[in-house]
Amino acid sequence: MTTVRALAPAKLNLGLEVIGKRADGYHDIATVMQTVSLFDRLTATPGSEIALHVSDPSLAGEDNLVLAAARLLRSSVGQAGGASIELKKRIPTAAGLGGASSDAAATLVSLSQLWDARMPPDKLLDLASRLGSDVPFLVEGGTALVEGRGETLTPLRPLAGAWFVLVVPAVSIPRKTPTLYGALTPDDFTSGDRVRRLATAIEAGGELDPELLANAFRRPLLALRPELGEIDRVFADAGAPVVALSGAGPTLYTAVREIAQARRLAGRLHASLPSDARVVVCRPVSQAPLIRIGDG
């Protein structure tokens, strides 16, 4: 029996600007996205119908994006059969790390292989864009300038010489993304030029400029959950050179050049943060998802 296994990586936003609201209700953005070595694991085998088994039972409902991706692909390629999909979660949910979107991207790529769909890359990206703004990037991964509502991708050279230390606080914000988009004001909208300067620097092999990692959602997030500002202080006290926000949060991260520095910093954060905050050390990965096909 053919088995397709996939590692679905988390993503970080290296800077994020919201340019304005579109006529279709979405927002135009500019961000550099980077896949990192924090993975969900997805295993797909042939089945008579589409079935999903998730390690976190709270994510097993019909609104899981894995099911939406599987059904969309099946209808698009005229597949008569199904697939049994097992998903082991390690990426924190609703944390600004794109876990659900990465799982959906991994599902599209995995089932295309399982069903021998021979889906052209542009068609796969079109399907991905129907599932969510982050999904097209996560079909390919690596480092990219992402614009529009997420469908316009400009690949960049791989990010070298960086390790990330993430703090994922135990904070739940109901309907987080629409709530924070709704809290943006015209003063939060910017041109996108800052992110484009960051993309140019990355393409030239430069280091990450802390001033270019600003995120439009920081102000509304801290207005909603001001206690998250304390994490900035803990990062600074631990020696972090910069503190940045990924997505709409609440994950905060810093970037350093050496793994030893990242591990020391993570140890200090562990000692200073509440026990329910998760600290993760990770590095850039150059593609997504990572696929392996075998028997059994």
Side-chain angles (χ1 to χ4, degrees), residues 29 42 85 176:
I29 64 166
L42 186 145
I85 304 168
K176 182 195 69 175

Side-chain angles (χ1 to χ4, degrees), residues 14-80:
L14 309 181
L16 194 163
E17 294 185 72
V18 178
I19 297 169
K21 193 168 185 178
R22 300 154 45 125
D24 61 8
Y26 291 98
H27 288 76
D28 280 317
I29 64 166
T31 183
V32 172
M33 287 191 187
Q34 174 66 58
T35 42
V36 295
S37 58
L38 172 62
F39 300 100
D40 288 344
R41 295 176 180 269
L42 186 145
T43 303
T45 54
S48 59
E49 58 186 25
I50 292 173
L52 174 64
H53 311 276
V54 190
S55 60
D56 181 347
S58 69
L59 303 176
E62 283 294 308
D63 58 349
N64 192 296
L65 270 185
V66 167
L67 290 174
R71 290 165 180 165
L72 178 61
L73 180 65
R74 183 171 66 174
S75 66
S76 297
V77 301
Q79 169 68 20

Side-chain angles (χ1 to χ4, degrees), residues 218-259:
R218 177 177 279 271
R219 184 204 61 77
L221 178 64
L222 290 179
L224 184 66
R225 302 302 296 263
E227 69 273 18
L228 294 177
E230 177 65 13
I231 298 177
D232 285 353
R233 183 194 65 76
V234 175
F235 261 115
D237 289 348
V242 62
V243 185
L245 179 70
S246 186
T251 296
L252 294 159
Y253 69 90
T254 193
V256 296
R257 291 193 60 82
E258 303 291 340
I259 186 173

